[in-house]
Amino acid sequence: MAEQVFPTKGNLIKIKKSLELARTGFDLLDRKRNILVRETMALIDTAKEIQSLINTTYAKAYEALQAANVTLGIVDEIAAGIPVENGVSISYRSVMGVEIPSVTLDANPRKNYFGYQRTSMQLDEAYARFDDVKRLTARLAEIENSVYRLAQGIRKTQKRANALKNIIIPRFDGQVKFISDALEEKEREEFSRLKVIKKTLDKQ
């Protein structure tokens, strides 16, 4: 590839500038990758904590639900009176050019949809714990989706950085060396020619 470049000073200056830009681009991509990796690792740690909390909360919720079923009978009719959650909203923010989601639920206070006479404290506890699980699950979905998108961003960044490091920069290095060697050889030839001309003139 380098041998195809015409060895002129103009080409040498142009390729040196391209080489400098490629090295700067590699440094920026390397920093971006490191930032994305740190962000991903932090989110993975948070996801583990939330998943553990979800498991604990689910256990308490089902325990309370089982107690409610024992005291009230099967509560599926009561549960059917609770409306389906439709207050989920999703927005996006950018982390080093990677769009990651932000999932939020409407912060509505918990309502008693089934009245106090027909229910028990165990059902109220089950309802509260399942509501906690719902909100934790929304948070976990946000984090897991963010981790997936960040991982994709890391792969793309790594691929571009590798292309610069292993292909583009070595190619420019080779072209700079080829042109520099050719220009130096040309200068030596020119110097030798001038010496011959000088000797000829001196003899005359």
Side-chain angles (χ1 to χ4, degrees):
M1 181 67 71
E3 288 75 6
Q4 296 179 1
V5 179
F6 196 71
T8 64
K9 289 185 178 179
N11 281 342
L12 180 62
I13 292 170
K14 184 165 61 175
I15 292 172
K16 280 184 175 179
K17 286 182 179 178
S18 296
L19 177 59
E20 185 179 352
L21 284 173
R23 285 175 174 160
T24 301
F26 173 77
D27 290 340
L28 291 173
L29 287 172
D30 191 50
R31 290 179 198 170
K32 176 181 178 179
R33 182 184 61 83
N34 290 335
I35 291 171
L36 292 178
V37 167
R38 283 198 300 269
E39 185 81 13
T40 302
M41 297 309 294
L43 286 176
I44 288 173
D45 290 340
T46 303
K48 289 178 181 177
E49 293 174 6
I50 293 177
Q51 184 63 65
S52 176
L53 189 55
I54 285 175
N55 293 339
T56 303
T57 308
Y58 255 131
K60 292 179 180 178
Y62 278 111
E63 185 180 340
L65 181 60
Q66 187 177 20
N69 282 330
V70 169
T71 58
L72 298 173
I74 303 301
V75 295
D76 54 343
E77 290 184 7
I78 298 174
I82 300 176
V84 175
E85 175 64 61
N86 59 6
V88 179
S89 60
I90 302 174
S91 58
Y92 292 88
R93 63 186 178 93
S94 178
V95 176
M96 298 299 293
V98 178
E99 295 292 318
I100 63 175
S102 177
V103 180
T104 55
L105 284 172
D106 291 342
N108 294 327
R110 290 172 182 155
K111 297 178 181 179
N112 188 319
Y113 293 100
F114 33 76
Y116 293 104
Q117 293 181 349
R118 299 175 54 203
T119 63
S120 65
M121 184 177 66
Q122 289 85 0
L123 182 61
D124 293 340
E125 175 71 12
Y127 171 62
R129 295 292 74 79
F130 278 115
D131 189 68
D132 290 339
V133 168
K134 175 182 66 178
R135 298 183 183 280
L136 288 169
T137 302
R139 175 69 176 141
L140 184 62
E142 171 190 310
I143 293 173
E144 289 183 342
N145 194 278
S146 298
V147 168
Y148 174 76
R149 287 168 178 258
L150 287 169
Q152 284 186 317
I154 291 169
R155 281 195 293 271
K156 288 179 182 177
T157 302
Q158 187 65 55
K159 188 175 180 181
R160 291 171 184 168
N162 287 342
L164 285 172
K165 181 181 178 182
N166 300 322
I167 299 174
I168 306 299
I169 291 176
R171 179 190 300 166
F172 286 148
D173 276 331
Q175 290 176 345
V176 168
K177 185 178 185 307
F178 168 73
I179 295 174
S180 297
D181 291 347
L183 291 177
E184 287 176 7
E185 181 65 26
K186 188 175 180 181
E187 286 177 3
R188 282 194 294 270
E189 291 176 359
E190 187 67 25
F191 181 71
S192 298
R193 193 181 304 106
L194 289 174
K195 283 182 70 176
V196 170
I197 293 172
K198 187 174 183 298
K199 283 183 181 179
T200 303
L201 291 175
D202 288 342
K203 286 180 182 179
Q204 293 176 353

